[in-house]
Amino acid sequence: MDLIAAIKKERGHFRLTLDNGQFIVVSAELFRERPFAEGDGIDLEEYDEWLLPRQYRAALDRAVALLALRAHSRGEIEQKLLRAHFRPATVEMVLYKLERENLLDDADFARQWAAARSGRKLGSGRIAQELRHKGVSAETIEEALSELDEDDQLAAAAALAEKALRRAKIGEDPRKTAQRVTGMLARRGYSWDIARKALQQVMDELDD
């Protein structure tokens, strides 16, 4: 049993700070339905069970609205719902519902994201970093990246390299130019091997 150390009324919500430093944010409507006072005890497990059916519909509606705007990973939806102050038990139930209805699929999301970002001339390293940031598992990222066409990645890197080489200053040390171009490709997530091949391909074409 935890104790409520402080209660603060916020815009449309009440923030309950517990003696262990945790806090709960509930709507004013739910607080009026089950009010607390400072110093009251609270059983978090029991309170979460009470909140779940009362929060569930609003949390599900918010998640569906987010998915209507664009595809999201499971981790993204989870974090956005938690930031909206829905309790973890409620969020978990919403995620289960979305996955069961095939509205949330990290494997499909990762494939779509990887293909789209590759088309924007980003390398697999940068794409993997973005997917990790979105909470996608390493195994799912690896599977999505394995479906990228290496020839397409090389062609995109070569296009970037050609553009960079054409902007090179007259008289610039070729080694510095090569370092600058490969550095640019690395920052966009291309592997050293892809960057090297792309640069060599473009240099050969320019020499011809």
Side-chain angles (χ1 to χ4, degrees):
M1 181 77 70
D2 295 293
L3 295 178
I4 298 175
I7 298 175
K8 182 180 179 181
K9 186 176 182 180
E10 300 177 338
R11 188 175 180 179
H13 296 82
F14 280 84
R15 179 183 292 264
L16 285 60
T17 302
L18 309 183
D19 58 350
N20 61 9
Q22 294 185 58
F23 65 87
I24 305 169
V25 178
V26 294
S27 68
E29 180 182 2
L30 289 176
F31 186 80
R32 285 193 296 269
E33 184 176 347
R34 186 171 175 179
F36 289 97
E38 292 181 5
D40 283 352
I42 181 171
D43 182 332
L44 275 181
E45 184 176 347
E46 183 276 328
Y47 188 58
D48 279 345
E49 289 179 2
W50 181 84
L51 278 177
L52 196 154
R54 292 164 173 81
Q55 284 190 334
Y56 176 76
R57 176 49 59 183
L60 180 61
D61 288 347
R62 182 181 286 260
V64 170
L66 289 169
L67 290 168
L69 294 174
R70 69 164 177 85
H72 284 68
S73 69
R74 188 184 197 277
E76 284 183 299
I77 293 294
E78 180 180 22
Q79 289 306 309
K80 288 182 178 181
L81 291 180
L82 290 173
R83 284 199 295 270
H85 304 305
F86 293 107
R87 295 292 294 162
T90 302
V91 173
E92 190 61 35
M93 185 63 71
V94 168
L95 294 174
Y96 171 76
K97 170 69 172 179
L98 293 173
E99 288 177 330
R100 192 180 66 181
E101 298 296 328
N102 296 316
L103 295 174
L104 204 56
D105 183 337
D106 268 11
D108 185 55
F109 169 80
R111 284 193 297 269
Q112 290 185 41
W113 186 271
R117 299 300 277 170
S118 179
R120 296 284 297 274
K121 293 184 173 61
L122 291 178
S124 58
R126 175 77 170 272
I127 295 167
Q129 183 182 41
E130 292 178 346
L131 288 171
R132 283 195 296 271
H133 183 69
K134 293 179 179 298
V136 179
S137 71
E139 181 180 354
T140 302
I141 292 172
E142 185 177 352
E143 290 176 359
L145 295 181
S146 71
E147 296 186 16
L148 294 179
D149 190 297
E150 187 171 330
D151 290 338
D152 289 343
Q153 287 264 292
L154 179 58
L160 290 169
E162 180 180 5
K163 187 175 180 180
L165 284 172
R166 292 190 183 280
R167 292 200 304 265
K169 296 178 182 179
I170 297 175
E172 183 179 30
D173 185 333
R175 288 175 299 180
K176 287 187 177 180
T177 303
Q179 289 173 355
R180 179 168 55 79
V181 173
T182 53
M184 176 272 294
L185 292 175
R187 287 191 296 275
R188 294 186 70 89
Y190 291 101
S191 67
W192 163 249
D193 187 52
I194 289 286
R196 180 184 59 79
K197 288 180 180 178
L199 180 59
Q200 189 60 56
Q201 177 182 310
V202 174
M203 291 179 69
D204 290 345
E205 291 173 354
L206 292 176
D207 285 344
D208 292 341

